[in-house]
Amino acid sequence: AQSVTQPDIHITVSEGASLELRCNYSYGATPYLFWYVQSPGQGLQLLLKYFSGDTLVQGIKGFEAEFKRSQSSFNLRKPSVHWSDAAEYFCAVVTNRDDKIIFGKGTRLHILP
Amino acid sequence: DVKVTQSSRYLVKRTGEKVFLECVQDMDHENMFWYRQDPGLGLRLIYFSYDVKMKEKGDIPEGYSVSREKKERFSLILESASTNQTSMYLCASRPVWANVLTFGAGSRLTVL
């Protein structure tokens, strides 16, 4: 069965430091891949998506993610985090077979001043 | 700006009560979804709908039902609320031609 794994439940980084959030998926073919962000008390907002083509995708708020087929990964990165980036981040995958969207369990990002 | 609106942000209900969670989207999207979000468990799909009067069970439909009488509105119903249904409920929609979801702000339900 298809699955999405976010190995880190919590991550803490200092403001201004770089960030990488990990995401691994399990699916035979190339899936559609997403990162969403959820600020406290809010719904989820799309950060970026990968469907095909260039494996490095740019998103909103200065985030980027790289699709690596050999590692079945789609890690989210930001070169310098801001206090407003404190939120929960969800990786998601859509499989072509039935268009179901499968979410990871999320990574909560904490920012130290 | 396109929107998915969940009219009740916070609800407190008693065990056994019937609970309605309403979701309205103004984007003419065909597909609508209800998720439940719990700490450490991420988002779990309860029900979804591909069109008016159509519904499909998701991964955790037990104890829930849904109604979609109009394209823009998708209601989640708890026939007899239980304490283990205390959770954050998220509604989302998407057009049939795209895989990107637009989410509402969520409804936090507490069942006492």
Side-chain angles (χ1 to χ4, degrees), chain A residues 22-96:
Chain A
R22 295 183 290 164
C23 173
N24 293 96
Y25 66 90
S26 169
Y27 182 56
T30 300
Y32 299 156
L33 296 158
F34 306 82
W35 275 99
Y36 285 85
V37 61
Q38 184 181 33
S39 298
Q42 299 299 315
L44 277 70
Q45 179 185 19
L46 180 70
L47 277 178
L48 47 79
K49 62 184 183 288
Y50 172 78
F51 287 172
S52 64
D54 192 347
T55 57
L56 183 64
V57 293
Q58 303 296 321
I60 62 172
K61 305 185 180 186
F63 285 92
E64 66 178 25
E66 186 171 12
F67 170 60
K68 293 185 177 180
R69 184 191 305 275
S70 61
Q71 299 176 19
S72 297
S73 69
F74 189 56
N75 293 349
L76 181 71
R77 302 194 295 247
K78 187 170 184 177
S80 176
V81 296
H82 186 262
W83 64 265
S84 60
D85 293 325
E88 191 157 19
Y89 292 80
F90 292 91
C91 182
V93 59
V94 171
T95 63
N96 286 336

Side-chain angles (χ1 to χ4, degrees), chain B residues 2 13 15 19 28 31-32 48 51 76 101 103 112:
Chain B
V2 295
K13 298 292 182 180
T15 301
V19 181
D28 203 35
N31 301 164
M32 297 188 74
F48 59 102
D51 204 344
L76 180 69
L101 293 170
F103 281 87
L112 302 176

